[in-house]
Amino acid sequence: MSLSTSIHDIKTLVLSFHGIIAMETVEENRVFSLLQSTALELRMPFFEWSITRGLVRVPGKTSMYGTSEPMNLLSSLQQMDTQAIFLLKDFARFTTDNIVARQLREVSQRFSKNRSTLVLTGEAVHLPPEIEHNVVYYHLELPGREELRKVLDTVLHSLVQANRIEIQLDARGREELVTALSGMTLNQARQTIAFAALKDGKLTEQAIKDVLERKAQAIRESGLLEYFPVEDNRFQLGGFARLKKWLQRAQTGFSREAQALNLPAPRGILLVGVQGCGKSLAAKVIAREWTVPLVKLDAGRLFDKYIGESERNFRKAIALAESMAPVVLWIDEIEKTMAPGGSEADGGLGRRMFGSFLTWLQEKQQEVFVVATANDLSILPPEALRKGRFDEIFFVDLPNAEEREAIVRIHLKLRRQDPQQFDLQRLVEATEGFSGAEIEQVVIAALYRGLHLKKSLDTELLLKEIGETVPLSISRREDLQRLRERARGRFVRVN
Ligand SMILES: Nc1ncnc2c1ncn2[C@@H]1O[C@H](COP(=O)(O)OP(=O)(O)OP(=O)(O)O)[C@@H](O)[C@H]1O
Ligand SMILES: [Mg+2]
C-alpha cells in the first residue's frame, strides 16, 4: 500500500466520525508519522500519549500535568474542546479496569460527535466488547515501495554524511533493493539496510542478495513454507506447449509497461489432471522460467489442533510468501491441503480456509503467482472452479507422442545417456498411454537392469522394461475416463 493511500484512508476515518481507531501493529513509529501527516493535512492538532510520558502535543516535549495516569488522561480528554487526533500507545491493556473502560466509552461517544479521534495502537489491541462495538480496526498493510524508498534514502543519506559508507549501487540497483525489502516493516528495513551497508563500508549489489537471503531464512524458520532458491532450480518439463505459451504471455503482465497501464498482474493457475503427468513439475518449472524463487505451502504444518491457529498459520504463510514477491507460490494437491480428511470432517475449517484463500487470490496486490495442482475434482469446492478466480484452469492429460519423445529425451539426458543412440520412434510408440512419471520409471529401471547385466543402456532394454509395465491408464482406465469427461470442454489443455 502506498503512503498516500494510508493517509487517505485514515483521513476518511477521522472525517467520518470514527471516535476510536484501533491499529494492531508493531510499527509504532510508522503510525506516528502517518498520523502526523494526516493531522497536518486536516489541519488538526496531534497529541501523543504513553504511560511513561503522559499526553504531549506534537511537536513538543512537555506533557499535560498528571496525564500519565490512564483515568486522568481520559478525564482530560473528556473536558478538552479542541478537535484533534490522539495517538494512545499500548492503552488497551488498561481497559480491563471497569472504570477506565466506562470512561473510555464516554470519551468515544463524545469524540464521534465532535470529530476527534483516538487511535489505539499495540501489537494486539484487546478491548471489552461494549467498547469494541464503537471501534474500527484499521489494518495497516506492510510499507509499500514509496515508504521503503524513503527509508532507504534517509538511512543512506545519514550514513554517507557521517562518512561511514560509500554507495556503489546505481539507480536500477537501488530499485531492486527496494523490491527486495518489500515485506519488511520499516524498522526491519532500516536495520537491514544499515547492516548491509556497514558490514564492509559500502553498499553494493551484494546488499540485494543479503536482503533476499535474510527473508529466505525467515521462511525456512517459519516451517510453513518450503523454499526453493532460483539457483537450485534445474527442473525440466517436456511438452505442455500451450501452457508454456500462456506463461510467456502472462509474464509480460509483470512488466513495468503493464504496471504503467494499471493492468493487474497475473494471479495464478490451477492444474488438474492425471497422476504423474507433470503437474507438480510444472509448478517448479514456471519459477525456473521466470527466474523467481519458488515457495511451497506445506499443508501438513498448516493445520493445528488449536482453534484459530490454523487460520493464523495460513495468514502467516501468505504474508511470508508476499514478502518474497515476485515469487511463485505452489500449493500442491490443493484439495487436500485446504481440506484434510474431507471437507466436513474438520468442522468446516477447510472450507473457511479455502474461502479466505480465494478471497486473497482475488484481491492480492503483491506479485505472488499461485500455481495450484489438484487430482480430485470431486472434493474441490465448486467456487474454486468458477471463472475469475484462477486466471486459467488447465487440464493435464497423458502426454501425446511428441511430448513422450521430449520426456524420454529429458530423462535419458538426466542419467547421462545420449538420446541420439536410441530408436526414439519405437520408444514413443511403445509408451503410448504412459505418464511422464512412468516413462521416467522405465528409464531408471532399465538402467538398473543394464548395470546388473553389465550392459550399457540401449533401446532393447528400454522396450523390455516398457513391455513389463502396466500403466495406470490401463489398470485404472475408468478413473481416467471419468476425469477426462469432467474436464472436457471446461478446462484448457496444457498441450
Ligand atoms: N512432462 C514431463 N516432463 C518431464 N518429466 C516428467 C513429465 N511428467 C512427469 N515427469 C516425471 O515424473 C515425475 C512425477 O511427475 P509429477 O510429480 O510432476 O506429476 P503430478 O502430475 O504432480 O502427479 P501426482 O498427481 O501424482 O502428484 C516428475 O518428477 C518427472 O520426473
Ligand atoms: Mg503432484
Side-chain angles (χ1 to χ4, degrees):
M1 189 192 276
S2 79
L3 185 61
S4 41
T5 327
S6 322
I7 294 175
H8 175 80
D9 286 353
I10 298 170
K11 233 164 79 178
T12 313
L13 287 175
V14 172
L15 290 176
S16 51
F17 302 97
H18 285 83
I20 304 183
I21 304 173
M23 292 193 202
E24 298 192 313
T25 172
V26 290
E27 297 194 90
E28 231 170 39
N29 295 335
R30 191 166 158 233
V31 174
F32 178 87
S33 28
L34 272 176
L35 292 179
Q36 196 174 22
S37 312
T38 311
L40 204 68
E41 283 193 21
L42 290 173
R43 295 169 200 242
M44 283 171 94
F46 176 42
F47 293 82
E48 181 189 27
W49 179 89
S50 68
I51 185 92
T52 46
R53 294 183 56 205
L55 191 66
V56 179
R57 179 160 177 177
V58 182
K61 291 211 160 41
T62 31
S63 64
M64 290 166 62
Y65 179 75
T67 50
S68 297
E69 207 281 316
M71 262 317 282
N72 288 350
L73 165 76
L74 293 176
S75 323
S76 313
L77 292 180
Q78 187 71 325
Q79 283 154 26
M80 275 168 84
D81 271 330
T82 24
Q83 288 179 18
I85 299 177
F86 300 89
L87 167 60
L88 273 48
K89 296 173 166 173
D90 292 330
F91 188 82
R93 67 182 65 181
F94 304 108
T95 57
T96 46
D97 180 310
N98 290 338
I99 306 177
V100 171
R102 179 66 224 173
Q103 182 73 278
L104 179 62
R105 206 171 158 198
E106 284 169 16
V107 169
S108 122
Q109 281 159 0
R110 177 146 189 270
F111 275 22
S112 54
K113 283 194 207 105
N114 79 353
R115 263 199 196 142
S116 281
T117 302
L118 281 185
V119 179
L120 306 179
T121 60
E123 196 168 348
V125 179
H126 296 301
L127 295 165
E130 69 275 14
I131 296 178
E132 209 153 47
H133 288 310
N134 301 313
V135 171
V136 52
Y137 276 80
Y138 179 76
H139 177 68
L140 189 64
E141 306 247 352
L142 284 168
R145 294 189 71 87
E146 202 184 328
E147 280 176 276
L148 290 168
R149 205 177 283 127
K150 246 190 192 166
V151 162
L152 179 64
D153 291 345
T154 320
V155 174
L156 293 184
H157 183 75
S158 66
L159 289 176
V160 170
Q161 288 278 303
N163 267 333
R164 289 189 193 276
I165 61 154
E166 197 181 310
I167 298 178
Q168 299 174 2
L169 202 61
D170 56 12
R172 192 192 46 82
R174 276 193 185 211
E175 281 306 299
E176 270 180 44
L177 184 53
V178 170
T179 307
L181 291 167
S182 75
M184 293 190 174
T185 64
L186 286 186
N187 240 347
Q188 285 169 335
R190 205 172 284 128
Q191 287 165 353
T192 308
I193 301 162
F195 185 81
L198 289 169
K199 207 173 55 172
D200 29 42
K202 54 186 190 233
L203 188 79
T204 62
E205 296 264 335
Q206 185 57 38
I208 302 168
K209 292 201 187 107
D210 289 351
V211 172
L212 289 176
E213 182 43 44
R214 188 164 164 167
K215 288 204 288 192
Q217 194 56 33
I219 285 185
R220 288 192 203 100
E221 281 162 13
S222 77
L224 296 167
L225 295 168
E226 195 180 337
Y227 177 71
F228 299 76
V230 186
E231 311 80 76
D232 300 353
N233 194 336
R234 298 211 178 20
F235 298 102
Q236 291 179 62
L237 178 71
F240 285 58
R242 191 177 305 198
L243 176 71
K244 286 175 180 167
K245 211 180 271 164
W246 188 94
L247 290 166
Q248 275 172 6
R249 221 170 343 112
Q251 194 177 11
T252 50
F254 293 115
S255 64
R256 263 159 218 252
E257 291 85 345
Q259 275 167 14
L261 294 173
N262 274 335
L263 290 174
R267 291 186 293 248
I269 54 172
L270 174 64
L271 301 169
V272 298
V274 183
Q275 266 179 40
C277 285
K279 297 185 295 296
S280 302
L281 184 59
K284 300 178 205 160
V285 168
I286 293 169
R288 203 209 60 197
E289 293 272 323
W290 289 354
T291 52
V292 296
L294 173 74
V295 290
K296 180 182 175 196
L297 193 64
D298 192 332
R301 302 201 200 158
L302 208 56
F303 285 89
D304 195 285
K305 57 185 180 298
Y306 297 107
I307 296 179
E309 224 26 62
S310 308
E311 277 137 317
R312 194 163 304 139
N313 281 344
F314 176 68
R315 281 198 301 274
K316 192 169 162 203
I318 295 286
L320 278 168
E322 287 186 327
S323 81
M324 280 312 275
V327 70
V328 169
L329 172 64
W330 170 24
I331 308 180
D332 209 28
E333 311 200 344
I334 191 166
E335 74 277 29
K336 292 179 202 141
T337 309
M338 294 287 175
S343 48
E344 299 310 326
D346 56 3
L349 173 62
R351 201 157 262 272
R352 280 204 306 282
M353 292 251 273
F354 221 119
S356 348
F357 164 72
L358 290 173
T359 310
W360 167 79
L361 185 64
Q362 214 148 17
E363 292 172 358
K364 73 189 159 63
Q365 299 293 319
Q366 263 74 18
E367 292 183 359
V368 178
F369 187 78
V370 176
V371 181
T373 74
N375 288 38
D376 192 346
L377 285 177
S378 63
I379 42 178
L380 266 183
E383 57 269 27
L385 303 177
R386 218 174 285 146
K387 266 268 169 227
R389 300 298 194 157
F390 289 97
D391 293 316
E392 198 65 85
I393 302 179
F394 287 96
F395 179 60
V396 184
D397 207 338
L398 290 170
N400 61 26
E402 197 184 314
E403 294 184 301
R404 291 200 299 281
E405 180 176 335
I407 297 172
V408 171
R409 280 177 189 277
I410 288 174
H411 289 287
L412 285 174
K413 276 201 214 142
L414 277 175
R415 274 111 202 156
R416 306 212 162 82
Q417 306 296 311
D418 176 9
Q420 308 273 23
Q421 307 301 317
F422 296 82
D423 186 343
L424 292 175
Q425 190 55 37
R426 281 175 73 199
L427 292 172
V428 167
E429 276 161 23
T431 49
E432 165 135 41
F434 278 55
S435 67
E438 285 160 344
I439 295 177
E440 177 183 27
Q441 220 33 61
V442 162
V443 173
I444 292 173
L447 273 167
Y448 268 116
R449 196 185 290 240
L451 274 183
H452 177 68
L453 299 173
K454 302 204 170 22
K455 255 183 83 178
S456 51
L457 186 67
D458 59 13
T459 305
E460 294 313 315
L461 272 175
L462 286 167
L463 286 172
K464 188 161 171 40
E465 210 54 61
I466 293 168
E468 288 175 10
T469 307
V470 181
L472 282 178
S473 63
I474 295 196
S475 62
R476 292 180 43 198
R477 184 190 299 262
E478 284 79 31
D479 290 348
L480 180 63
Q481 213 49 40
R482 213 171 309 129
L483 188 61
R484 277 186 178 147
E485 267 158 33
R486 277 177 175 242
R488 192 179 297 141
R490 282 177 78 190
F491 310 135
V492 182
R493 295 177 60 98
V494 289
N495 57 9

